[in-house]
Amino acid sequence: LVKALLAHPAVAAELRGALDLGELESEQCRTVAATAFALLDRGAGEGFAGKLEFADERLGRLVTGWLADPGLPADAAEARRAALDCIERLHERRRRRESLALQELLRRAQEAGEHETVRELLAQKQSLCVRAPGKA
C-alpha cells in the first residue's frame, strides 16, 4: 500500500482520506505514510518520494529499497486498484476486531443480566454490519 502511494503521488493524494494511518500495523509504514502525506500537503508532486527525509536513516534506506522494487505498480490505475484493495482489507480487519470486541462485551452483559446494555451493544453490532460493504 505505502509503496504504491509513494510511487504515484496523485493516487496518494486521492486516497489519503480513505486511509486511517492507525490501521497500519507497521510503525515504519505509518511513519513513512505520515511523512509522505505531510510532504504532499506542502505541495510536493511527482518525485516527492525522493524528497522524503527521516531522522532515522533506516527509514530512508527502506523507502529507497521500496522505490527500487521492480514489482511496484507500473501506472496510476494499477496503483489505485492495489491501494484500494489494501485499504479495504485494512477496513475489514478493523471491522472484525470491533465485532469481536463487541461480541465479548455482549457476552458479558448477557451473563450479568444487563438488558439495556445488551440492546445498546446489539445496535452497535448491527451498525457495524451495515457499514461493511456488501452487507445489509
Side-chain angles (χ1 to χ4, degrees), residues 40-58:
L40 283 172
D41 287 346
R42 292 192 302 270
E46 289 301 317
F48 85 108
K51 300 173 189 169
L52 292 172
E53 295 180 9
F54 303 97
D56 182 346
E57 66 182 52
R58 291 175 297 173

Side-chain angles (χ1 to χ4, degrees), residues 41-83:
D41 287 346
R42 292 192 302 270
E46 289 301 317
F48 85 108
K51 300 173 189 169
L52 292 172
E53 295 180 9
F54 303 97
D56 182 346
E57 66 182 52
R58 291 175 297 173
L59 285 177
R61 287 193 304 269
L62 180 67
V63 169
T64 300
W66 285 349
L67 294 173
D69 182 352
L72 280 176
D75 61 29
E78 182 183 346
R80 184 177 190 281
R81 279 190 302 276

Side-chain angles (χ1 to χ4, degrees), residues 15 20 24 30 38 57 62-63 66 72 78 81-82 86 89-90 93 97 101 103 127 130 133:
L15 298 180
D20 175 359
L24 296 173
R30 281 192 303 274
E57 66 182 52
L62 180 67
V63 169
W66 285 349
L72 280 176
E78 182 183 346
R81 279 190 302 276
C86 289
R89 282 185 272 153
L90 288 171
R93 187 172 58 202
R97 280 193 311 266
Q103 190 61 39
S127 175
V130 170

Side-chain angles (χ1 to χ4, degrees), residues 61-122:
R61 287 193 304 269
L62 180 67
V63 169
T64 300
W66 285 349
L67 294 173
D69 182 352
L72 280 176
D75 61 29
E78 182 183 346
R80 184 177 190 281
R81 279 190 302 276
L84 284 172
D85 183 51
C86 289
I87 289 169
E88 180 51 40
R89 282 185 272 153
L90 288 171
H91 292 334
E92 180 58 34
R93 187 172 58 202
R94 184 194 69 234
R95 284 189 296 268
R96 262 195 317 273
R97 280 193 311 266
E98 289 174 358
S99 180
L100 288 172
L102 280 172
Q103 190 61 39
E104 178 60 20
L105 291 172
L106 185 59
R107 183 188 64 74
R108 290 179 186 174
Q110 287 171 330
E111 286 176 356
E114 299 170 351
H115 303 294
E116 184 60 31
T117 301
V118 168
R119 280 192 289 279
E120 290 170 8
L121 291 170
L122 285 172

